[in-house]
């Protein structure tokens, strides 16, 4: 019978799989430890080394320049990165945005407040209720369709709502919170 014939091979098979598990553990454990380090990632107490593209002030607990947080792109890249596909009111079709959750940034800075005042390079300024960032996965995008956003083209940062995922976001009240050329946040 086949059972009798395969039986002798089972013990070695188990032994082999135990060995493989052990080897996998030995190879992957250091990798896990390493990625654990880089996941410590975003530290608002770090000093920016590159050009500061976002300044955050107001009701934040962690800062690196007096009571402000000055952030460069490399620091922002250390926040968990997110992709979001959505249409917008100012572009055609569906765009793929990459960036980080506003919620994650605010949390990392220890922000506590009822609203965030967002200011753009063109001095556009708007108050955004804090609830938005808890109710929706609002991202701060640095990349659109694989291309880095530049100040010429809605960059360096653009607040993007997951508009295609929530019918209620297709509304003028939300449209004006999509701040492009974002450069400053005040939490209050
Ligand atoms: N930096 C910046 N972001 C902005 C604006 C602006 O003038 N400057 N206009 C807001 C408004 S009122 C709307 S409806 C949407 C789309 O604006 P637009 O159609 O003028 O581009 O972007 C918002 N974000
Ligand atoms: Mo608008």
């Amino acid at each position: 019978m086949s059972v009798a014939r395969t039986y002798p091979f089972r013990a070695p098979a188990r032994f082999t799989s135990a060995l493989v598990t052990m080897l996998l553990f030995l190879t992957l454990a250091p990798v896990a430890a390493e990625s654990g380090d880089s996941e410590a990632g975003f530290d608002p107490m770090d000093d920016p080394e590159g050009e500061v593209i976002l300044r955050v002030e107001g009701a934040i607990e962690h800062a690196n320049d007096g009571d402000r947080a000055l952030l460069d792109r490399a620091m922002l890249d250390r926040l968990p990165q997110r992709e979001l596909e959505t249409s917008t009111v100012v572009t055609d079709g569906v765009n793929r945005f990459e960036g980080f959750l506003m919620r994650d940034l605010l949390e990392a800075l220890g922000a506590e407040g009822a609203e965030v005042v967002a200011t753009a390079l063109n001095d556009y300024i708007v108050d955004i209720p804090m609830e938005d960032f808890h109710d929706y996965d609002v991202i701060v995008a640095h990349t659109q369709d694989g291309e880095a956003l530049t100040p010429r083209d809605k960059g360096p940062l653009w607040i993007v709502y997951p508009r295609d995922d929530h019918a209620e976001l297709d509304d003028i009240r939300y449209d004006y919170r999509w701040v492009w050329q974002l450069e400053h946040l005040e939490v209050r």
Side-chain angles (χ1 to χ4, degrees), residues 124 172 175-176:
Y124 179 79
I172 188 76
D175 288 344
Y176 72 79

Coordinates of all heavy atoms in Angstrom, one line a residue, residues 124 172 175-176, ligand 2:
Y124 N -2.9 80.8 -0.2 CA -4.3 80.2 0.0 C -4.3 79.6 1.4 O -3.3 79.0 1.8 CB -4.5 79.1 -1.0 CG -5.9 78.5 -0.9 CD1 -7.0 79.1 -1.4 CD2 -6.0 77.2 -0.3 CE1 -8.2 78.4 -1.3 CE2 -7.2 76.6 -0.2 CZ -8.3 77.2 -0.7 OH -9.5 76.6 -0.6
I172 N -18.4 70.7 -2.6 CA -17.6 71.9 -2.6 C -17.0 72.2 -1.2 O -15.9 72.7 -1.1 CB -18.4 73.2 -3.1 CG1 -17.5 74.4 -3.2 CG2 -19.6 73.4 -2.1 CD1 -16.7 74.4 -4.4
D175 N -14.0 70.2 -1.4 CA -13.1 70.6 -2.5 C -12.1 71.7 -2.1 O -10.9 71.6 -2.4 CB -13.9 71.1 -3.7 CG -14.6 70.1 -4.4 OD1 -14.3 68.9 -4.2 OD2 -15.5 70.4 -5.2
Y176 N -12.5 72.6 -1.3 CA -11.6 73.7 -0.9 C -10.6 73.3 0.1 O -9.7 74.1 0.5 CB -12.4 75.0 -0.6 CG -13.1 75.0 0.8 CD1 -12.4 75.2 2.0 CD2 -14.5 74.8 0.8 CE1 -13.1 75.3 3.2 CE2 -15.2 74.8 2.0 CZ -14.5 75.0 3.2 OH -15.1 75.1 4.4
Ligands
LIG2 MO1 -13.4 76.4 -4.7

